[in-house]
Amino acid sequence: SMKLLPGFWRTSPSSIDVLKCSNEAACTGNENSTCFTGHRGPLCELCKDGFALTAGACLSCEDGGVSTAIGGVVVTLLILSLAAWCFSRRRVEQLKSLADGNGLSFTKTGLGYVQIIATLSSTLLVEFGPYFGGLTKILAA
């Protein structure tokens, strides 16, 4: 039995036909030609039940929902914290400068960055990791 390098696959441990996986991260190689967690099938191109293909990787459906919920809570808390900080009595001068137009340019710049991030993967035809790739898909929706 020969040991395979990561990124390669074969039908069985006794097979001499070695194929390169199109998604090298899905194929663990080794002697048994196993697939990475969540992947299955020929060349590890399919996802197991309970997993979904996201940015080239089979991710657990249960884990994705929890991560998204936690991310949403964190973003919400950050926004609420920023709002509380801006509206505190000590920050009246900052609110006045926001009303004078300085905040508008800051908001326009921030929205520009969000739009750029949202179109990165489709414009550059690049697959990002599951977390950043998921963020770009959420922003693009």
Side-chain angles (χ1 to χ4, degrees), residues 1 6-8 10 14 31-34 46 55 69 73 84 87 93 96 102 124 127-128 130 133 139:
S1 177
F8 290 90
R10 60 182 168 188
S14 60
E31 293 176 6
N32 297 327
S33 191
T34 56
L46 302 174
V73 168
F87 290 111
E93 291 302 318
K96 287 181 183 176
N102 294 335
L124 300 177
E127 284 192 31
F128 295 106
L139 292 175

Side-chain angles (χ1 to χ4, degrees), residues 41 61 69 133:
C61 295

Side-chain angles (χ1 to χ4, degrees), residues 20-90:
K20 184 173 180 163
C21 297
S22 57
N23 180 0
E24 294 181 20
C27 300
T28 60
N30 68 42
E31 293 176 6
N32 297 327
S33 191
T34 56
C35 300
F36 191 72
T37 304
H39 293 266
R40 68 174 179 88
L43 300 173
C44 304
E45 291 183 346
L46 302 174
C47 292
K48 291 181 180 178
D49 290 338
F51 288 80
L53 188 63
T54 305
C58 292
L59 301 177
S60 173
C61 295
E62 293 83 28
D63 292 345
V66 171
S67 299
T68 303
I70 290 173
V73 168
V74 168
V75 168
T76 302
L77 289 174
L78 287 173
I79 291 171
L80 290 174
S81 298
L82 179 63
W85 179 74
C86 286
F87 290 111
S88 68
R89 294 179 194 213
R90 298 177 300 198

Side-chain angles (χ1 to χ4, degrees), residues 54-55 59 64 67-68 71-72 74-75 110 113-122 126-141:
T54 305
L59 301 177
S67 299
T68 303
V74 168
V75 168
Y113 282 120
V114 168
Q115 290 174 336
I116 291 169
I117 289 172
T119 59
L120 275 177
S121 61
S122 61
V126 174
E127 284 192 31
F128 295 106
Y131 297 109
F132 189 73
L135 173 66
T136 60
K137 288 178 184 175
I138 289 169
L139 292 175

